[in-house]
Amino acid sequence: MVNQLERTGAAQTGVVIPELDLARIERIRQDFPILARQVGDKALVYLDNAATSQKPEAVLQAMDDYYRRYNANVHRGVHRLSEEATAAYEQARLKVARFIHAPSDKQIIFTRGTTEGINLVANTWGRANLGPGNEVLITEMEHHSNIVPWQILRDQLGFTLRYIPLTESGELDLSQLDTLITPATKLVSFVHVSNVVGTVNPVQEIVAAARAVGAKVLVDGAQSVPHMPVDVQALDVDFFVFSSHKMCGPTGLGVLYGKRDLLEAMPPWQGGGDMIREVKMSGSKWNTLPYKFEAGTPAVAEAIGLGAAVDYLSGLDMEWIHDQEQALVRYAYERLSQIEGLHIVGPEQRAGLVAFTLNDVHPHDLSAILDQDGIAVRAGHHCAQPIHDRLGIVATARASFYFYNTPDEVDLLCAGLEKAAQIFAL
Ligand code: 7TS
C-alpha cells in the first residue's frame, strides 16, 4: 500500500508547519484501515469529516468483540452474556459522562444522534413548557436539525421562533442580544461550532444572557465535541447534544446531556420497554434516569463502539487534537485564499473546516472533479439552507479536517481545485 505521506510528500512542497507532529499523524493514520484504500488508482484523501469521521481499529474491534463474544440484550436477562453486555453498555455511558465532564452518567441519554437529541428536547421539555406568548431563539447558522423541530412545534403550540442574525463575516451578531432575549424567551438553542462557516460561538456569553431572563439553553455540539475539549458544567448549558459518528464512533448513536432537575421533570417521549418501572392496564410509572428516555432495545454495539472511540480520542488528548486541527486549517485557509476566484465563506478564525465557492463552478461539479483524484469533499447546502440564503449563495464545497489529515492532503485539494478552475475556464 502506498504511504500517503510519501506519495504526496511534504518534501515536494517543502511545507513545514512547526505545530504539526507529522510523525505522530503518520502513526495515527495506521489506526484507520480505510485511510489506506484507493479510490480508482488514487489514494483516498478524506476531507469530509464534518459529515462523518472515519473509524479506528479499536472501535471496529470493540463492536466486533461484542457481537462475537457477548451479544445479548441489556438490562433484561440474568444470564452471563446479558450481564456482560449490560456492564459494557453502562461503562460506555460512564466514559461519555467523563469525556464531557457531566456530573453523573445518569445525565447521559443515548439517542440516535444529534438530530434525535434535539427532537427529544423539543417533544418533551418543549411540549411541557412552550405555548403562545413564549419565544424560542435559534440562529441563522443552524443545521436543519436545530431549525425544523422548532418550526414543527411552533406550528403546533403557537410560540414564536426568532433567529439571532449573522454578521457579513458569518459570525453571530450579538449586538442586539438584549432585544432578542427577553422575558418571553424560554429557550435559546444554538450551534457550538458551525458546520458551514466554522465559527466557534461564545457559549458562555449567550448562556449569561439567557440566565438573566430565566431561559434554558440547548447547545448543538455535533461539530465541537469531536474536535475540542468540552466541559458541559463549565459551559453551564441545560442541554447538550452530539453524534457518535462524527467522533470516530459508529453511526446510529448520539448523546443528550441534560441538567438533572430538568431531565427529572421532563415527561418521557417514546414509550416502550426499559423506560418504565411499572405498567398496569390503568397506566404506567416511569423508570429513573437515564432509562426514562431510552425506550426499547438500545444501540448496544454502537454504545460500546462510542466508548472505545472516547478512549481513543482521550488517548490522543483532545487539546492536542484541537491544536493539530487549528494548525492544519490555518494552512488550508492560507493556501485556499491564494487560489484565484476562490471565495471562502466565514471568518478567518475558525474550526477545522473550510466551505468555499470557486468562480461560478457549481460545487457539485467541483466535488466530482476532486473525486477523480480520490479527494472526498462535500458539496451542497450541508443541511443548512438558511445560512446559505443569508450569505447570498446557493451552495458551497466544503473541506472538513480531522486529526489524521495532513498538509499534503491540503496541497492535493488545492491542486485539484486549480485543475478544476482551468477546466471550467475553457
Ligand atoms: N448539527 C450540526 C452542527 C451538524 O453538523 C450536523 C450534521 C447535525 C447537527 C446533525 O447530526 P446527525 O448526526 O443527527 O445527522 N452535519 C452534517 C454535515 O455537515 N454534513 O453532513 C452532516
Side-chain angles (χ1 to χ4, degrees), residues 161-422:
L161 186 59
R162 300 179 75 189
Y163 294 80
I164 301 178
L166 292 189
T167 62
E168 286 308 316
S169 64
E171 289 163 300
L172 290 181
D173 180 356
L174 298 178
S175 61
Q176 311 293 318
L177 204 55
D178 50 352
T179 61
L180 285 167
I181 298 185
T182 72
T185 313
K186 292 293 167 231
L187 177 73
V188 186
S189 186
F190 63 97
V191 72
H192 195 177
V193 172
S194 161
N195 68 326
V196 178
V197 279
T199 312
V200 183
N201 288 320
V203 177
Q204 273 137 326
E205 185 182 343
I206 301 173
V207 167
R211 290 276 171 268
V213 297
K216 305 296 178 221
V217 174
L218 186 160
V219 169
D220 169 355
Q223 300 293 352
S224 62
V225 172
H227 303 280
M228 60 174 74
V230 166
D231 181 331
V232 289
Q233 290 189 80
L235 293 175
D236 194 27
V237 290
D238 296 295
F239 302 108
F240 194 91
V241 290
F242 54 99
S243 298
S244 151
H245 68 96
K246 295 185 199 288
M247 53 188 289
C248 294
T251 53
L253 188 78
V255 172
L256 162 66
Y257 157 82
K259 283 203 172 155
R260 193 158 189 158
D261 54 337
L262 288 172
L263 292 175
E264 296 280 10
M266 277 155 55
W269 180 26
Q270 296 176 336
D274 237 20
M275 53 73 70
I276 43 77
R277 186 147 47 87
E278 184 184 276
V279 179
K280 299 274 184 217
M281 287 204 229
S282 54
S284 304
K285 290 185 181 146
W286 316 136
N287 204 340
T288 50
L289 290 176
Y291 312 111
K292 182 171 76 170
F293 296 110
E294 292 183 3
T297 298
V300 182
E302 287 74 9
I304 291 167
L306 176 60
V310 162
D311 285 343
Y312 183 82
L313 294 174
S314 303
L316 295 180
D317 180 42
M318 291 308 294
E319 287 282 1
W320 182 82
I321 287 175
H322 181 247
D323 292 349
Q324 296 293 295
E325 282 179 34
Q326 281 293 297
L328 192 66
V329 77
R330 274 197 298 273
Y331 175 63
Y333 188 92
E334 202 181 288
R335 286 280 338 257
L336 289 165
S337 305
Q338 287 160 5
I339 297 176
E340 213 182 303
L342 191 140
H343 171 67
I344 295 175
V345 297
E348 186 167 348
Q349 181 59 40
R350 58 176 53 232
L353 59 90
V354 188
F356 53 84
T357 55
L358 180 59
N359 297 321
D360 52 3
V361 184
H362 195 283
H364 282 130
D365 293 333
L366 273 185
S367 169
I369 288 178
L370 292 172
D371 183 57
Q372 290 172 4
D373 289 336
I375 304 168
V377 299
R378 189 172 168 185
H381 53 58
H382 319 297
C383 299
Q385 266 180 328
I387 187 171
H388 283 82
D389 288 347
R390 175 65 182 74
L391 297 170
I393 40 181
V394 178
T396 48
R398 181 188 66 190
S400 53
F401 307 103
Y402 214 5
F403 53 81
Y404 41 65
N405 288 124
T406 67
D408 311 311
E409 292 180 310
V410 172
D411 293 343
L412 283 174
L413 170 70
C414 293
L417 290 170
E418 269 155 2
K419 190 169 90 182
Q422 276 170 13

Side-chain angles (χ1 to χ4, degrees), residues 68-83:
R68 285 180 194 279
R69 287 202 313 107
Y70 60 102
N71 172 55
N73 212 326
V74 293
H75 307 139
R76 286 167 173 78
V78 262
H79 59 80
R80 176 70 66 90
L81 263 56
S82 179
E83 281 169 6

